Amino acid sequence: MASAGSIPAPDPTAPLVGQSLAMQALRTHIRHLARFDTLGNVAVPTVLLQGETGTGKSLVAQVLHASGPRARGPFVAINCAAIPGHAAGSRAVWF
């Protein structure tokens, strides 16, 4: 129970608009994945977001970031399509 005067934490999935079954499932998946992201957890899953241009992949990535402990740190978006294939390995550290 929240104490009097305390403000509830905002829901990180709030930027995802809509209440369809698909959007509810997406919110559930994001909350599930965020629970894995703890310091020292070697079982943190890799997440690959795919979709057509304009479908909200970047928004989902930002919401996933904001839903876990990494929210205290910066969110760095990388447009992999803009990196030439021969340079991908030399431009960033992939893990």
Side-chain angles (χ1 to χ4, degrees), residues 1-9:
M1 176 179 229
S3 62
S6 68
I7 300 171

Side-chain angles (χ1 to χ4, degrees), residues 7-27:
I7 300 171
D11 179 6
T13 65
L16 300 174
V17 179
Q19 295 301 323
S20 68
L21 290 177
M23 290 305 291
Q24 290 175 22
L26 177 60
R27 287 185 185 91

Side-chain angles (χ1 to χ4, degrees), residues 69 84 91:
R91 306 277 174 159

Side-chain angles (χ1 to χ4, degrees), residues 14-46:
L16 300 174
V17 179
Q19 295 301 323
S20 68
L21 290 177
M23 290 305 291
Q24 290 175 22
L26 177 60
R27 287 185 185 91
T28 299
H29 286 303
I30 289 171
R31 290 182 186 115
H32 176 74
L33 288 168
R35 283 187 288 235
F36 281 99
D37 194 10
T38 58
L39 291 175
N41 185 355
V42 295
V44 176
T46 299

Side-chain angles (χ1 to χ4, degrees), residues 42-90:
V42 295
V44 176
T46 299
V47 177
L48 173 64
L49 300 172
Q50 298 184 92
E52 298 293 325
T53 300
T55 57
K57 297 177 298 292
S58 181
L59 176 62
V60 171
Q62 291 173 18
V63 168
L64 182 57
H65 174 78
S67 296
R70 296 174 195 242
R72 293 181 288 263
F75 174 80
V76 179
I78 299 174
N79 180 356
C80 295
I83 301 172
H86 66 277
S90 63

